[in-house]
Amino acid sequence: MIAMATATNENHLLIIEDDQGRKEFTLENPVYSIGRDRECNIRLFSQFVSRHHATLVRLPRPNNSQRFYYRIVDGDAKGKPSSNGLMINGRKMPAYDLQNEDEIIFGPQVRAIYYLLKNTERLSSTDVSEYDITLINPGMTDDFDE
């Protein structure tokens, strides 16, 4: 487990909230289609989103062949834009390179949050030193002597 902590692996996560509630998607594929159509990789359940609302494309990070990022593009893979477009962090954009905790609005009541989790961050949260806590203040032990 210690060797893993130094790895530069990253997990890309997309949390979708739509008419059916909340769903979590771990992103690993090079391309994802997002929309209402049942053929989409990530389906959105809402009458307000397009059948092919957006496309996620995985791209390599410059100067680092092992790491990558996702770009979200409005519309389908052929370039046809969605009806409502994309709001990313409150701004309407045709395309955007996603960063940790970005919010994507597809339509009313339909949104996604993107998370970039580094394995080193996740493993450090279960670090043994975190549990090395003194629960009793040393000064309190005097009360037990009486």
Side-chain angles (χ1 to χ4, degrees), residues 2 6 9 11 26 44 62 104 123 134:
I2 293 170
T6 58
N9 283 351
N11 288 317
T26 301
L44 301 175
I104 305 134
L123 290 177
T134 304

Side-chain angles (χ1 to χ4, degrees), residues 10-13 27-32 55-73 95-100 102 114-116 118:
E10 297 173 338
N11 288 317
H12 302 262
L13 200 61
L27 304 176
E28 296 169 348
N29 296 343
V31 177
Y32 288 90
T55 306
L56 272 179
V57 183
R58 185 177 72 188
L59 298 165
R61 287 197 186 277
N63 307 323
N64 192 331
S65 59
Q66 293 182 331
R67 293 173 57 200
F68 54 88
Y69 65 96
Y70 278 93
R71 174 178 291 159
I72 191 162
V73 181
Y96 182 78
D97 294 343
L98 292 173
Q99 297 170 23
N100 190 37
D102 279 340
Y114 169 80
Y115 292 98
L116 174 59
K118 292 182 174 64

Side-chain angles (χ1 to χ4, degrees), residues 55 88 91 95:
T55 306
I88 298 156
R91 296 177 56 206

Side-chain angles (χ1 to χ4, degrees), residues 74 82-95:
D74 181 43
S82 68
S83 301
N84 294 331
L86 295 172
M87 291 279 285
I88 298 156
N89 299 325
R91 296 177 56 206
K92 193 163 185 162
M93 297 187 175

